[in-house]
Amino acid sequence: MRTFIVFALLAAMCCLPQAKAQSQGDDYMRQARESLSAKEYIRARYLFLQAFGKFARTQDYEKAVDCGVNASALYHRENYYKEAFEVLRDAEAAVASGEQAGGKTMPALRYPISKERLQMYIKMRNPSKAREQLARMADYADKSGVDSLKNDLLYAEADYSYSFGLDAQGDRAISQLVSNYNAEKDYGRVRQCFQKLIGTALRAGNAALVARTGQRYMAWNDSVNALMAAGELKALQDKYDESLATIDRKDSTISTKQYFIIGLCVLAAVLAAALVLGAVVLLRFVMLTRKQKKAIQTANEHNELKTRFIENISAQLEPTLATLDATQPAVQALRLFSAHIQELARLEDTLAEPCEMEEKNIASFCDSIMDKVRDKAREGVSLTVNAPRLNVKISPALLERLLLHLLENAVAHTPEGGKVWIDFKKRGAHTHQFIVSDTGCGVPPELHDNLFKPFSEVRNLTQGDGLGLPICSLIATKMNGTLTLDTTYTKGARFVLELHA
């Protein structure tokens, strides 16, 4: 008896740490979700990581994977891809440990890990790696036998396809997904699907996909509303038939039957009025959606016409400008303005096209660009490059065009004895920055908001057309990056170019 009591006490003592860790994990997970709702992303990420550790130790693999995927998503939200991939590897290792201990596979838990990797590779513009994760997701969804994962897989396939220009493949996936939800009469899920797809297209700037999805959504919405209206009418008809049958079955006085019939007539009139009102509301909704569809089409057509108009005007100016005295400042300003307009139009038309990438030594590359502006700097201006002798994949022509413009601006606005320098910094496994700084006059605060917007003000072209920085911003976008002004730097001007590989 004493031996039994001793063993029971030992078992209880072993279980206490496990129960405590589980309770701590649940508490961390709850706090993480509250922080996420409050948009406190760094705190939420920390709490998810803590919860992940606790659940992995207590072998609660479902919650561990959930917390790990959330932490990874918050890392890659800020472009910390190295840390995001490490968290996913730890989550996968925890699942593998659980599979080994339990003697069976857990594909439903591996699925969200691959899904998060897919989202990162899409954001990193890596189609081959993204496709590999999509194939793994398909395998896990098939092995799990969970129907909801198969529907989720269709949406993931559509997201991948539209992100890399495979519109036909994306359309097939969305059509299958809509068909599945229609068969289940889950119209709310269909609406969410179309709305998420329109949101994805808007964020990607894919106007054609927005218009096409909008058309399909309106067509589907019209058909569903028609089915619902027909169902309501049939229900009313069935109710009316049932009322007549009830009247026939009842054997009561004539007065009772009359009152009953009058009541039914009033009810039918109310129902008919409600049906008419519903039809009017439906018609107004259909008309409104058609107007919205027309507005989207008109906006797209106007945008295309505007681009063609600007290109034509710029091209027609060339022969006239060629006949003018090229030494005149006004003629030179017009020539530069015409060239900038054409460059803007070309960049807008080719934003979705991939850049040609090359591996370059960053220090040598930056030195060569800095050499091109040395003869333009005032006497005593120090020109410096702070970059390691590191090979990085870049788009040389586009990057040189952008950095050269920033450096030319810097030396033009830096007085004698000043300083202009360029720094290179790595911000993650696939993120790096080029920072161009000077000790010049800086950028006035009133110009900050419209600094990268073309045609934001009427200018004297002989003093610059103001299109250089908007062109640089478009080039940065084409290279999967961003160009910003560091407003915290007050000793001159500082521009930060951040590129994602």
PDB file of all heavy atoms in Angstrom, residues 372-389:
ATOM      1  N   LYS A 372      31.518  59.093 -61.081  1.00  0.00           N
ATOM      2  CA  LYS A 372      30.838  59.824 -62.151  1.00  0.00           C
ATOM      3  C   LYS A 372      30.333  61.200 -61.716  1.00  0.00           C
ATOM      4  O   LYS A 372      29.971  62.021 -62.560  1.00  0.00           O
ATOM      5  CB  LYS A 372      29.664  58.992 -62.682  1.00  0.00           C
ATOM      6  CG  LYS A 372      30.114  57.718 -63.381  1.00  0.00           C
ATOM      7  CD  LYS A 372      28.932  56.937 -63.929  1.00  0.00           C
ATOM      8  CE  LYS A 372      29.415  55.669 -64.621  1.00  0.00           C
ATOM      9  NZ  LYS A 372      28.300  54.883 -65.173  1.00  0.00           N
ATOM     10  N   VAL A 373      30.288  61.446 -60.391  1.00  0.00           N
ATOM     11  CA  VAL A 373      29.796  62.747 -59.932  1.00  0.00           C
ATOM     12  C   VAL A 373      30.898  63.603 -59.312  1.00  0.00           C
ATOM     13  O   VAL A 373      30.641  64.696 -58.825  1.00  0.00           O
ATOM     14  CB  VAL A 373      28.644  62.573 -58.912  1.00  0.00           C
ATOM     15  CG1 VAL A 373      27.483  61.840 -59.542  1.00  0.00           C
ATOM     16  CG2 VAL A 373      29.109  61.839 -57.658  1.00  0.00           C
ATOM     17  N   ARG A 374      32.148  63.093 -59.287  1.00  0.00           N
ATOM     18  CA  ARG A 374      33.230  63.840 -58.630  1.00  0.00           C
ATOM     19  C   ARG A 374      33.466  65.188 -59.299  1.00  0.00           C
ATOM     20  O   ARG A 374      33.708  66.198 -58.626  1.00  0.00           O
ATOM     21  CB  ARG A 374      34.522  63.020 -58.635  1.00  0.00           C
ATOM     22  CG  ARG A 374      34.475  61.837 -57.687  1.00  0.00           C
ATOM     23  CD  ARG A 374      35.819  61.152 -57.551  1.00  0.00           C
ATOM     24  NE  ARG A 374      35.692  59.945 -56.752  1.00  0.00           N
ATOM     25  CZ  ARG A 374      35.651  59.933 -55.425  1.00  0.00           C
ATOM     26  NH1 ARG A 374      35.752  61.088 -54.764  1.00  0.00           N
ATOM     27  NH2 ARG A 374      35.531  58.801 -54.766  1.00  0.00           N
ATOM     28  N   ASP A 375      33.409  65.224 -60.652  1.00  0.00           N
ATOM     29  CA  ASP A 375      33.703  66.486 -61.336  1.00  0.00           C
ATOM     30  C   ASP A 375      32.555  67.494 -61.207  1.00  0.00           C
ATOM     31  O   ASP A 375      32.710  68.658 -61.575  1.00  0.00           O
ATOM     32  CB  ASP A 375      33.990  66.213 -62.811  1.00  0.00           C
ATOM     33  CG  ASP A 375      32.821  65.529 -63.503  1.00  0.00           C
ATOM     34  OD1 ASP A 375      31.982  64.944 -62.788  1.00  0.00           O
ATOM     35  OD2 ASP A 375      32.751  65.574 -64.746  1.00  0.00           O
ATOM     36  N   LYS A 376      31.409  67.058 -60.660  1.00  0.00           N
ATOM     37  CA  LYS A 376      30.274  67.972 -60.492  1.00  0.00           C
ATOM     38  C   LYS A 376      30.211  68.560 -59.086  1.00  0.00           C
ATOM     39  O   LYS A 376      29.409  69.450 -58.820  1.00  0.00           O
ATOM     40  CB  LYS A 376      28.955  67.244 -60.791  1.00  0.00           C
ATOM     41  CG  LYS A 376      28.882  66.693 -62.215  1.00  0.00           C
ATOM     42  CD  LYS A 376      27.577  65.961 -62.437  1.00  0.00           C
ATOM     43  CE  LYS A 376      27.526  65.367 -63.855  1.00  0.00           C
ATOM     44  NZ  LYS A 376      26.268  64.630 -64.083  1.00  0.00           N
ATOM     45  N   ALA A 377      31.035  68.045 -58.153  1.00  0.00           N
ATOM     46  CA  ALA A 377      30.999  68.508 -56.770  1.00  0.00           C
ATOM     47  C   ALA A 377      31.786  69.808 -56.631  1.00  0.00           C
ATOM     48  O   ALA A 377      32.758  70.060 -57.343  1.00  0.00           O
ATOM     49  CB  ALA A 377      31.573  67.440 -55.837  1.00  0.00           C
ATOM     50  N   ARG A 378      31.366  70.637 -55.687  1.00  0.00           N
ATOM     51  CA  ARG A 378      32.085  71.885 -55.410  1.00  0.00           C
ATOM     52  C   ARG A 378      33.423  71.578 -54.734  1.00  0.00           C
ATOM     53  O   ARG A 378      33.639  70.497 -54.179  1.00  0.00           O
ATOM     54  CB  ARG A 378      31.240  72.791 -54.518  1.00  0.00           C
ATOM     55  CG  ARG A 378      29.985  73.323 -55.216  1.00  0.00           C
ATOM     56  CD  ARG A 378      29.205  74.236 -54.270  1.00  0.00           C
ATOM     57  NE  ARG A 378      28.079  74.858 -54.953  1.00  0.00           N
ATOM     58  CZ  ARG A 378      26.879  74.310 -55.085  1.00  0.00           C
ATOM     59  NH1 ARG A 378      26.664  73.111 -54.584  1.00  0.00           N
ATOM     60  NH2 ARG A 378      25.902  74.947 -55.713  1.00  0.00           N
ATOM     61  N   GLU A 379      34.301  72.568 -54.739  1.00  0.00           N
ATOM     62  CA  GLU A 379      35.637  72.390 -54.168  1.00  0.00           C
ATOM     63  C   GLU A 379      35.524  72.102 -52.671  1.00  0.00           C
ATOM     64  O   GLU A 379      34.780  72.752 -51.944  1.00  0.00           O
ATOM     65  CB  GLU A 379      36.469  73.658 -54.390  1.00  0.00           C
ATOM     66  CG  GLU A 379      37.916  73.504 -53.934  1.00  0.00           C
ATOM     67  CD  GLU A 379      38.736  74.744 -54.250  1.00  0.00           C
ATOM     68  OE1 GLU A 379      38.220  75.636 -54.958  1.00  0.00           O
ATOM     69  OE2 GLU A 379      39.879  74.800 -53.792  1.00  0.00           O
ATOM     70  N   GLY A 380      36.296  71.114 -52.231  1.00  0.00           N
ATOM     71  CA  GLY A 380      36.332  70.783 -50.807  1.00  0.00           C
ATOM     72  C   GLY A 380      35.228  69.848 -50.344  1.00  0.00           C
ATOM     73  O   GLY A 380      35.167  69.507 -49.169  1.00  0.00           O
ATOM     74  N   VAL A 381      34.331  69.431 -51.256  1.00  0.00           N
ATOM     75  CA  VAL A 381      33.262  68.496 -50.869  1.00  0.00           C
ATOM     76  C   VAL A 381      33.829  67.082 -50.797  1.00  0.00           C
ATOM     77  O   VAL A 381      34.450  66.601 -51.743  1.00  0.00           O
ATOM     78  CB  VAL A 381      32.084  68.552 -51.860  1.00  0.00           C
ATOM     79  CG1 VAL A 381      31.075  67.457 -51.533  1.00  0.00           C
ATOM     80  CG2 VAL A 381      31.413  69.908 -51.796  1.00  0.00           C
ATOM     81  N   SER A 382      33.633  66.422 -49.666  1.00  0.00           N
ATOM     82  CA  SER A 382      34.140  65.053 -49.456  1.00  0.00           C
ATOM     83  C   SER A 382      33.124  64.038 -49.986  1.00  0.00           C
ATOM     84  O   SER A 382      31.950  64.084 -49.615  1.00  0.00           O
ATOM     85  CB  SER A 382      34.390  64.834 -47.968  1.00  0.00           C
ATOM     86  OG  SER A 382      34.651  63.470 -47.701  1.00  0.00           O
ATOM     87  N   LEU A 383      33.578  63.120 -50.871  1.00  0.00           N
ATOM     88  CA  LEU A 383      32.719  62.064 -51.436  1.00  0.00           C
ATOM     89  C   LEU A 383      33.199  60.719 -50.904  1.00  0.00           C
ATOM     90  O   LEU A 383      34.351  60.346 -51.107  1.00  0.00           O
ATOM     91  CB  LEU A 383      32.771  62.079 -52.955  1.00  0.00           C
ATOM     92  CG  LEU A 383      32.398  63.407 -53.633  1.00  0.00           C
ATOM     93  CD1 LEU A 383      32.527  63.276 -55.134  1.00  0.00           C
ATOM     94  CD2 LEU A 383      30.989  63.823 -53.257  1.00  0.00           C
ATOM     95  N   THR A 384      32.321  59.992 -50.212  1.00  0.00           N
ATOM     96  CA  THR A 384      32.730  58.762 -49.524  1.00  0.00           C
ATOM     97  C   THR A 384      31.755  57.621 -49.819  1.00  0.00           C
ATOM     98  O   THR A 384      30.553  57.844 -49.930  1.00  0.00           O
ATOM     99  CB  THR A 384      32.767  58.987 -47.993  1.00  0.00           C
ATOM    100  OG1 THR A 384      33.528  60.156 -47.718  1.00  0.00           O
ATOM    101  CG2 THR A 384      33.401  57.805 -47.279  1.00  0.00           C
ATOM    102  N   VAL A 385      32.325  56.399 -49.929  1.00  0.00           N
ATOM    103  CA  VAL A 385      31.508  55.184 -50.076  1.00  0.00           C
ATOM    104  C   VAL A 385      31.806  54.273 -48.891  1.00  0.00           C
ATOM    105  O   VAL A 385      32.965  53.946 -48.627  1.00  0.00           O
ATOM    106  CB  VAL A 385      31.831  54.452 -51.388  1.00  0.00           C
ATOM    107  CG1 VAL A 385      31.112  53.106 -51.419  1.00  0.00           C
ATOM    108  CG2 VAL A 385      31.427  55.288 -52.584  1.00  0.00           C
ATOM    109  N   ASN A 386      30.759  53.898 -48.154  1.00  0.00           N
ATOM    110  CA  ASN A 386      30.888  52.964 -47.030  1.00  0.00           C
ATOM    111  C   ASN A 386      30.137  51.680 -47.386  1.00  0.00           C
ATOM    112  O   ASN A 386      28.957  51.538 -47.080  1.00  0.00           O
ATOM    113  CB  ASN A 386      30.317  53.581 -45.747  1.00  0.00           C
ATOM    114  CG  ASN A 386      31.001  54.877 -45.373  1.00  0.00           C
ATOM    115  OD1 ASN A 386      32.215  54.983 -45.474  1.00  0.00           O
ATOM    116  ND2 ASN A 386      30.224  55.873 -44.960  1.00  0.00           N
ATOM    117  N   ALA A 387      30.838  50.783 -48.057  1.00  0.00           N
ATOM    118  CA  ALA A 387      30.197  49.532 -48.500  1.00  0.00           C
ATOM    119  C   ALA A 387      31.206  48.397 -48.413  1.00  0.00           C
ATOM    120  O   ALA A 387      32.382  48.574 -48.757  1.00  0.00           O
ATOM    121  CB  ALA A 387      29.689  49.673 -49.935  1.00  0.00           C
ATOM    122  N   PRO A 388      30.794  47.226 -47.947  1.00  0.00           N
ATOM    123  CA  PRO A 388      31.714  46.082 -47.859  1.00  0.00           C
ATOM    124  C   PRO A 388      31.965  45.479 -49.233  1.00  0.00           C
ATOM    125  O   PRO A 388      31.175  45.657 -50.163  1.00  0.00           O
ATOM    126  CB  PRO A 388      30.945  45.108 -46.962  1.00  0.00           C
ATOM    127  CG  PRO A 388      29.511  45.430 -47.225  1.00  0.00           C
ATOM    128  CD  PRO A 388      29.446  46.907 -47.469  1.00  0.00           C
ATOM    129  N   ARG A 389      33.052  44.772 -49.352  1.00  0.00           N
ATOM    130  CA  ARG A 389      33.342  44.059 -50.604  1.00  0.00           C
ATOM    131  C   ARG A 389      32.559  42.748 -50.600  1.00  0.00           C
ATOM    132  O   ARG A 389      33.080  41.676 -50.347  1.00  0.00           O
ATOM    133  CB  ARG A 389      34.850  43.815 -50.744  1.00  0.00           C
ATOM    134  CG  ARG A 389      35.625  45.119 -50.858  1.00  0.00           C
ATOM    135  CD  ARG A 389      36.961  44.962 -51.532  1.00  0.00           C
ATOM    136  NE  ARG A 389      37.537  46.264 -51.818  1.00  0.00           N
ATOM    137  CZ  ARG A 389      37.270  47.000 -52.872  1.00  0.00           C
ATOM    138  NH1 ARG A 389      36.411  46.546 -53.760  1.00  0.00           N
ATOM    139  NH2 ARG A 389      37.837  48.178 -53.072  1.00  0.00           N
TER     140      ARG A 389
END
